[in-house]
Structures are given as C-alpha cells and as structure tokens.
Amino acid sequence: GQRFLANGTRAGAEFQIGPNDSDFDSQADPSVAMNEAGKFVVAFSNRELNSLALFLEVLSAERRDVQVRAYNADGTAATDVIEVASSTSTIERSPVIGIAANGDFAVSWISDGSPARIMTRRYAADGTAKAEAVQVNDSVSANDRPYMAMATTGKYVVTWERLVDQAPLIGIYARVYGIDGAPVTEQFQVSGPGAGMMERTSVGMAADGSFVVGGQARQQANDGGPVQVRENAAVDDHPPTRPPGATARRVPPPPTRRGPRAAAADTSA
C-alpha cells in the first residue's frame, strides 16, 4: 500500500499488507475503504499453493482465502492479517470492503461453488468478528462481482450480478443491512423492467442510508453498452407496521423486512 496527503504527496514509504509465509503465496483483488478520520482497511484474496503441488502441477490443491487488515490514520497497522473466510473445498475471492466512522467494517466476497454465493461478515475496529459470515443472496442462480458501500453509521448495502433463467439473463441485485448487521431488505433487483442485461455494478451510500447504484447495460451478449444509474431512497431499519389494505411493495425504496402484523395485513389486503 501507499498513503498520500491531500495534495498528492507521498506520506511515508510503500508497505506490505498481505502475509509472506512462503514463496508460493500471492495476493490479489485488493479493496480499500477509508473513513473521515483517516482509518482504513484493506481486503484481499490470498492464494496458497504448496511447493509439492506446484511441482506436480496439481492446481486443485490451490487454496484461496479472503483476508483483511486494518490500519490507523498514521499508517500503522491496527490489526494483524485477519482470515475472513477460508475453505479447502471452495475458492473465496473478490472481496469488497466498507468502513464506518467508528472504525467498524464489513467485508463481502464470492464463495465459489454450485452456484457461487455472495457472503458478508462484520468486524469491530480492533478486528474482532462481530458475527459469523452470512449469505447475502437468497437465490440458487449464479452470482458474481459483488460491490458494497457503507454509511458513516455502519449501515451498508451489497450489490452483485445475478444470472437468471429468463430475460434479461444478467441483472444487478442488492441487499441492505442495518447497523446491527441484520438485513433491512430481502434481495431485490436494481435494474428495472426492460432495462436489458445489466452488469459490473458499483454503489455509493450517503450518511442517511440512501444509495446510488451504477451498472453497465448490455444490448447483446458480447457487446458493452451505456452506463446507467439508479437511486434508492433510504430504507428505515425499523419500518412501522403498515395498515390493512396498504400496498405490499414500494419501489423505490426496495421492500423492507416486516413483522407478523404486516404479513397479516398483506394477506387480508
């Protein structure tokens, strides 16, 4: 990594973030987030391949984990390298990260499998895990290219590409999480009806929890298209129960999680 001052001047020397346990380890897919105080976190994929497997070209012995490290505003390490996700049977890759004003952070990534899953995990500023990793997507379709953004409060949103069985074949989906890590919404489709295939998502979130999602629209399977943007209003962490007869869905914002009373209202509507 390399820190810079506001005028572009280098602040200190380059520094190594990932581990250097052997000559056969390598890191990729870095993602960085910084809060207003200057604290920052870096997530990355760590690839491990032992020398015997490399000599025999047994690449199936490869192990790829998601790791993260937190830093203070002066560039000193606040934590050691933290293993976020590790597996001997799947590849954990493509992490993205967000940080709150108090230094707490969350990581999302892809856990390859059949199908690939989008995962997320939350941490305190000192690197202590706040909970186990949880799955973001609730579908069985293939998922790829996650992105995330976090508000200063710690609320965050994860977006990703999802392959579906019918047109538009590829769409951008999202899910919002509250300060306590509980899902505020189910997964919902960002790209609207008739938008065609949407991919390569990016997202930004304001302090109030409102967010904007960008994506590339594709007109044909192999052709790039124009970039489109969709804005979503803030979603209340604890929305009030809707009265009987209320509309069951609001777009935007995406549908929120509701309690049993709201579900009963929907049934009687």
Side-chain angles (χ1 to χ4, degrees):
Q2 175 66 63
R3 296 167 54 245
F4 289 87
L5 301 178
N7 62 3
T9 303
R10 292 177 181 270
E14 291 184 359
F15 54 96
Q16 182 170 325
I17 298 168
N20 190 23
D21 298 332
S22 81
D23 293 336
F24 303 101
D25 289 357
S26 62
Q27 290 84 42
D29 305 326
S31 177
V32 182
M34 177 179 279
N35 65 16
E36 293 182 356
K39 294 182 177 181
F40 62 99
V41 285
V42 185
F44 53 93
S45 297
N46 185 60
R47 178 176 179 265
E48 296 181 7
L49 189 66
N50 64 56
S51 56
L52 178 60
L54 185 65
F55 176 77
L56 297 176
E57 297 184 350
V58 183
L59 297 183
S60 59
E62 174 185 344
R63 174 177 169 177
R64 192 178 301 178
D65 308 325
V66 168
Q67 300 183 352
V68 66
R69 196 169 195 181
Y71 288 83
N72 299 309
D74 62 2
T76 57
T79 69
D80 292 329
V81 173
I82 301 167
E83 193 170 83
V84 177
S86 175
S87 174
T88 57
S89 58
T90 61
I91 290 178
E92 316 293 332
R93 61 179 176 87
S94 304
V96 287
I97 196 165
I99 188 171
N102 64 359
D104 290 356
F105 57 94
V107 188
S108 292
W109 70 94
I110 300 171
S111 180
D112 277 340
S114 296
R117 300 173 299 160
I118 307 299
M119 307 295 293
T120 190
R121 194 173 190 185
R122 298 165 53 247
Y123 288 85
D126 63 1
T128 304
K130 288 192 169 185
E132 294 297 324
V134 295
Q135 183 171 324
V136 178
N137 65 289
D138 57 14
S139 64
V140 296
S141 301
N143 304 277
D144 202 3
R145 293 191 177 117
Y147 205 87
M148 73 177 298
M150 179 175 280
T152 54
T153 59
K155 185 175 184 177
Y156 67 102
V157 56
V158 181
T159 61
W160 69 94
E161 291 178 15
R162 176 187 166 197
L163 181 65
V164 295
D165 297 331
Q166 57 187 5
L169 302 181
I170 301 176
I172 294 176
Y173 284 72
R175 195 169 196 179
V176 181
Y177 288 84
I179 299 172
D180 60 358
V184 177
T185 70
E186 303 290 348
Q187 72 170 29
F188 61 91
Q189 187 170 357
V190 175
S191 46
M197 289 189 290
M198 296 285 290
E199 61 178 358
R200 301 184 184 279
T201 175
S202 182
V203 63
M205 177 173 265
D208 66 355
S210 59
F211 57 96
V212 175
V213 183
Q216 177 179 305
R218 296 182 64 179
Q219 306 303 319
Q220 298 180 9
N222 297 318
D223 294 334
V227 173
Q228 298 188 10
V229 175
R230 179 163 180 171
E231 183 174 2
N232 289 267
V235 181
D236 191 352
D237 286 357
H238 303 286
T241 302
R242 293 183 292 109
T247 303
R249 187 177 182 184
R250 299 179 298 156
V251 179
T256 60
R257 285 180 172 263
R258 295 179 289 274
R261 291 178 57 195
D266 290 345
T267 303
S268 62

